[in-house]
Amino acid sequence: MRLICLACLTVLALAAPFAAGAQELKAMPVDEAGENTEFAAYRDVLLAAVVKRDVEAVLSMASEDVRLSFGGDGGQAALRAFLEVDPESFEPARRHEAPAMRERNWADLETVLRMGGRFDGAERFIAPYTFGAEMPEGVDPFEVMYVTGSGVALRDRPIRFADVVGRLDHDVVRQVDWVSGTAYVEVALADGTQGFVHGEYLRAPVDYRAIFERREGAWKLVAFVAGE
């Protein structure tokens, strides 16, 4: 994906199903927040702050040591930088990119909060529901993608008005390739069927996820990270 006979082998591998005898796999939406009224109320307030793009409110609901990466990037200052995206932190030629990056960061956080999640013990909640969902056997985790809707079109070409060859309902699929210059991703189903799905309806297990913990009597956002 990313010498002539080697290319042939790659094509054959991409066309293959997940594994011999692979069965259709679904990742249905789950939201356990309602099982804890205190957490549900906290998340509602946090989501409202995110919708308003209220930096101070979000910071007040995050832990002092909130993590933004698996390295050393973390803490309230790092979360503020993530939400504000100061143009002065860019090279002069790239400062025009700051507003779009800022909005993308907020949108990523809002999406995660809206996508449900699961409790990991009584005082820990992980969102979205796709993180930790079942994966097909024999597929690289970095190729797995979750369809996040019902009736999602599987098209024969990577364009909006291409023929629909199937409808997906929260299916777990394998990413074959991103189609350059389009919003579409080529995917393969468990039975080997391939087609194109709009990226808006796909989510990878390594996409952003939020981790919340109840600390000293209050729920806090303790991590917002992406990656393995």
Side-chain angles (χ1 to χ4, degrees):
M1 281 171 48
R2 292 235 197 334
L3 331 172
I4 289 202
C5 48
L6 284 179
C8 295
L9 291 173
T10 300
V11 170
L12 289 173
L14 292 176
F18 294 155
Q23 298 296 310
E24 180 184 70
L25 191 60
K26 304 279 187 179
M28 303 306 293
V30 174
D31 189 10
E32 298 178 352
E35 297 177 10
N36 183 308
T37 55
E38 182 185 11
F39 175 76
Y42 160 84
R43 190 181 64 178
D44 286 346
V45 174
L46 177 58
L47 179 57
V50 171
V51 170
K52 293 178 182 178
R53 306 306 193 237
D54 187 335
V55 175
E56 301 305 325
V58 172
L59 289 173
S60 73
M61 289 181 274
S63 65
E64 292 293 329
D65 60 348
V66 59
R67 288 190 294 122
L68 276 295
S69 75
F70 293 102
D73 188 20
Q76 293 263 321
L79 180 55
R80 179 183 293 278
F82 177 83
L83 297 174
E84 293 182 344
V85 188
D86 183 358
E88 296 300 316
S89 64
F90 288 72
E91 293 292 327
R94 296 186 56 225
R95 286 175 185 166
H96 66 282
E97 300 174 17
M101 180 177 288
R102 182 186 308 119
E103 181 54 31
R104 184 165 63 248
N105 290 348
W106 280 104
D108 284 337
L109 180 55
E110 183 175 344
T111 295
V112 167
L113 292 175
R114 291 186 183 280
M115 286 188 65
R118 298 177 174 85
F119 282 101
D120 179 20
E123 299 189 332
R124 195 166 193 257
F125 187 90
I126 302 175
Y129 74 88
T130 51
F131 184 72
E134 187 176 0
M135 291 189 190
E137 296 181 3
V139 178
D140 185 327
F142 283 90
E143 293 182 347
V144 173
M145 301 201 88
Y146 300 106
V147 176
T148 58
S150 298
V152 175
L154 179 70
R155 300 185 183 276
D156 66 348
R157 290 174 295 152
I159 58 174
R160 181 180 178 185
F161 298 107
D163 290 341
V164 175
V165 296
R167 293 284 178 181
L168 307 181
D169 179 16
H170 298 285
D171 290 78
V172 182
V173 300
R174 179 168 58 81
Q175 174 191 324
V176 175
D177 201 6
W178 285 89
V179 183
S180 179
T182 79
Y184 286 83
V185 182
E186 185 175 7
V187 303
L189 308 187
D191 63 4
T193 300
Q194 291 186 209
F196 300 88
V197 175
H198 196 288
E200 178 182 359
Y201 301 103
L202 294 169
R203 190 167 187 87
V206 294
D207 279 343
Y208 274 110
R209 60 267 196 191
I211 301 174
F212 304 91
E213 292 180 0
R214 193 172 188 274
R215 295 183 177 181
E216 299 178 353
W219 283 95
K220 296 288 183 178
L221 171 67
V222 301
F224 187 64
V225 295
E228 189 174 11

